[in-house]
Amino acid sequence: MKIEKSFRLSFNLFLFFFLIIGSLIICLPEKNYSKVKAGSEKEQLIVKTIKAWPEIEKSALVSVVDELGPIGFWLEVSWPMDWDERNFQFLVNGRPALFKKGGGGFGSGFYEQDFFVYSGEPGSKSIDVIFASDKKKAQSTVKVNFNSNGGFVPLEKADKELITGPEPFKFFSWFFKDWRVLINGIEQKLENLEIFEGVHLLSCRTELRPGINLVQFSGLNYNGERKEWSLRIFYREAGKLKPGDSFSIKYECFDTKSESTHLFI
């Protein structure tokens, strides 16, 4: 029996945006924008680190999609504890940006907090971090160039995963367009929900046949290059199996604010 460890990377992106907008994100390496400090010592609102996000080692990615660009930034921000913890706002090129809190801590008289900030389409970015409490108002600005080819990924599906009943197929797209999905060679009609500018949730329903079903999906990345992938789905109605069937099942999962790790058997 073969055991394979897989990251449910697309689920993190999915969760990231639906937590932000009160509705319903895969991770690959991208340039580390290195440590920076912004804001005067008088203000002491400091952006300690900024990186492209999501970001993991490519060797850790077990997925049908082998290349993905970042969707935004991860910022580590610190401020004096005597300012209290109150409200943050982020502007990207002067426009309010979607963001989500990550982990945090404190020490040496400072709070530290991680934030995941949606950057919008690739290009030059000026990111304003705005702090406001009853005691203090402060602002820091960092400038960085955001590079990404985007991504187009299946959600909540692993290669050869067992499906026991009809269910929609969902895909998550950022900075991609002209999507196509074929299941067993038949092109699917896609329902498109634009979650935010440049970010889409796509879904389709189809009839599956017993055994292995081939899902092919493709799209144009931000540079206009067509990328194509495929995924196999194993279907047995009501889980009625027969000797010789080979498939993947979700065995266990461990979730944190930054990643979701799943074991498939």
Side-chain angles (χ1 to χ4, degrees):
M1 185 174 293
K2 182 180 178 182
I3 297 180
E4 179 183 14
K5 185 178 182 181
S6 171
F7 282 87
R8 276 295 178 92
L9 303 172
S10 54
F11 180 75
N12 271 334
L13 293 177
F14 178 74
L15 179 61
F16 171 59
F17 276 94
F18 278 86
L19 283 175
I20 289 173
I21 65 174
S23 309
L24 272 171
I25 81 95
I26 309 255
C27 309
L28 252 221
E30 188 58 36
K31 183 185 297 182
N32 183 330
Y33 289 101
S34 74
K35 290 190 175 182
V36 295
K37 288 189 177 182
S40 68
E41 291 302 316
K42 182 179 180 180
E43 290 180 332
Q44 296 183 35
L45 176 64
I46 302 172
V47 179
K48 299 178 65 177
T49 307
I50 180 170
K51 298 180 181 180
W53 182 85
E55 179 182 70
I56 66 162
E57 293 297 327
K58 188 170 183 178
S59 60
L61 181 65
V62 181
S63 173
V64 295
V65 177
D66 57 2
E67 52 181 295
L68 296 167
I71 197 170
F73 293 105
W74 169 71
L75 285 79
E76 183 184 10
V77 179
S78 72
W79 69 97
M81 293 177 67
D82 59 8
W83 289 5
D84 293 337
E85 183 177 1
R86 286 296 184 269
N87 297 319
F88 273 90
Q89 182 183 9
F90 291 84
L91 305 179
V92 175
N93 292 348
R95 297 177 57 190
L98 297 176
F99 69 94
K100 179 180 182 293
K101 281 186 178 182
F106 59 90
S108 302
F110 283 81
Y111 283 118
E112 292 186 349
Q113 183 72 56
D114 295 342
F115 293 94
F116 303 102
V117 181
Y118 179 60
S119 63
E121 292 192 348
S124 297
K125 304 294 178 181
S126 176
I127 303 176
D128 296 311
V129 184
I130 302 171
F131 175 94
S133 73
D134 295 337
K135 294 182 179 180
K136 184 72 176 180
K137 294 183 179 180
Q139 178 173 333
S140 287
T141 302
V142 292
K143 297 181 182 295
V144 68
N145 190 51
F146 176 58
N147 298 309
S148 175
N149 290 330
F152 180 36
V153 298
L155 288 176
E156 305 173 333
K157 292 289 184 292
D159 193 40
K160 293 188 70 177
E161 182 173 351
L162 173 66
I163 293 179
T164 60
E167 59 182 76
F169 284 79
K170 299 176 183 178
F171 297 84
F172 190 74
S173 167
W174 62 103
F175 314 142
F176 261 63
K177 60 182 181 180
D178 193 24
W179 315 277
R180 292 189 68 198
V181 175
L182 284 79
I183 299 181
N184 296 326
I186 301 174
E187 185 160 0
Q188 305 297 303
K189 181 180 179 181
L190 296 174
E191 296 182 9
N192 178 11
L193 173 63
E194 187 172 23
I195 299 173
F196 201 69
E197 182 180 345
V199 180
H200 298 259
L201 178 68
L202 306 162
S203 63
C204 63
R205 292 181 178 273
T206 189
E207 295 292 330
L208 297 179
R209 61 194 183 198
I212 293 293
N213 294 259
L214 179 63
V215 180
Q216 298 166 290
F217 56 103
S218 66
L220 295 180
N221 69 10
Y222 191 75
N223 290 330
E225 304 166 319
R226 179 157 291 277
K227 299 296 180 179
E228 300 179 346
W229 301 277
S230 63
L231 172 70
R232 297 167 297 171
I233 295 297
F234 188 86
Y235 178 69
R236 288 292 187 203
E237 187 176 3
K240 296 179 180 179
L241 306 174
K242 65 180 183 180
D245 282 345
S246 176
F247 51 85
S248 301
I249 59 173
K250 186 167 74 171
Y251 176 69
E252 184 57 271
C253 119
F254 173 73
D255 291 301
T256 69
K257 289 184 177 180
S258 59
E259 69 180 13
S260 176
T261 305
H262 295 251
L263 177 68
F264 288 90
I265 184 168

mmCIF file of all heavy atoms in Angstrom, residues 82 149 154 162 164 183 218:
data_model
loop_
_atom_site.group_PDB
_atom_site.id
_atom_site.type_symbol
_atom_site.label_atom_id
_atom_site.label_comp_id
_atom_site.label_asym_id
_atom_site.label_seq_id
_atom_site.Cartn_x
_atom_site.Cartn_y
_atom_site.Cartn_z
ATOM 1 N N ASP A 82 2.490 49.904 23.708
ATOM 2 C CA ASP A 82 1.699 50.917 24.407
ATOM 3 C C ASP A 82 0.777 51.692 23.465
ATOM 4 O O ASP A 82 0.016 52.557 23.901
ATOM 5 C CB ASP A 82 2.595 51.876 25.191
ATOM 6 C CG ASP A 82 3.603 52.609 24.318
ATOM 7 O OD1 ASP A 82 3.516 52.489 23.070
ATOM 8 O OD2 ASP A 82 4.479 53.300 24.876
ATOM 9 N N ASN A 149 2.906 35.075 -12.846
ATOM 10 C CA ASN A 149 2.211 34.582 -14.034
ATOM 11 C C ASN A 149 0.796 34.125 -13.715
ATOM 12 O O ASN A 149 0.061 33.730 -14.612
ATOM 13 C CB ASN A 149 2.992 33.420 -14.665
ATOM 14 C CG ASN A 149 4.281 33.889 -15.306
ATOM 15 O OD1 ASN A 149 4.371 35.023 -15.774
ATOM 16 N ND2 ASN A 149 5.282 33.028 -15.304
ATOM 17 N N PRO A 154 -7.300 23.123 -9.623
ATOM 18 C CA PRO A 154 -8.514 22.453 -9.134
ATOM 19 C C PRO A 154 -8.591 22.581 -7.621
ATOM 20 O O PRO A 154 -7.573 22.577 -6.932
ATOM 21 C CB PRO A 154 -8.307 20.998 -9.564
ATOM 22 C CG PRO A 154 -6.823 20.832 -9.621
ATOM 23 C CD PRO A 154 -6.262 22.163 -10.031
ATOM 24 N N LEU A 162 -11.047 9.125 -4.805
ATOM 25 C CA LEU A 162 -12.324 8.422 -4.895
ATOM 26 C C LEU A 162 -13.483 9.398 -4.700
ATOM 27 O O LEU A 162 -13.536 10.129 -3.705
ATOM 28 C CB LEU A 162 -12.385 7.322 -3.834
ATOM 29 C CG LEU A 162 -13.733 6.600 -3.698
ATOM 30 C CD1 LEU A 162 -14.048 5.796 -4.961
ATOM 31 C CD2 LEU A 162 -13.729 5.689 -2.469
ATOM 32 N N THR A 164 -17.762 9.304 -4.658
ATOM 33 C CA THR A 164 -18.826 8.299 -4.541
ATOM 34 C C THR A 164 -20.205 8.805 -4.942
ATOM 35 O O THR A 164 -21.184 8.097 -4.795
ATOM 36 C CB THR A 164 -18.887 7.775 -3.103
ATOM 37 O OG1 THR A 164 -19.159 8.864 -2.215
ATOM 38 C CG2 THR A 164 -17.570 7.123 -2.710
ATOM 39 N N ILE A 183 -13.851 16.972 -19.581
ATOM 40 C CA ILE A 183 -13.946 15.762 -18.764
ATOM 41 C C ILE A 183 -14.293 14.605 -19.689
ATOM 42 O O ILE A 183 -15.314 14.629 -20.377
ATOM 43 C CB ILE A 183 -14.991 15.911 -17.651
ATOM 44 C CG1 ILE A 183 -14.579 17.077 -16.727
ATOM 45 C CG2 ILE A 183 -15.115 14.617 -16.850
ATOM 46 C CD1 ILE A 183 -15.509 17.311 -15.564
ATOM 47 N N SER A 218 -7.126 23.988 -18.820
ATOM 48 C CA SER A 218 -6.090 24.865 -19.363
ATOM 49 C C SER A 218 -6.554 26.310 -19.314
ATOM 50 O O SER A 218 -7.743 26.610 -19.115
ATOM 51 C CB SER A 218 -5.761 24.475 -20.809
ATOM 52 O OG SER A 218 -6.874 24.717 -21.656
#
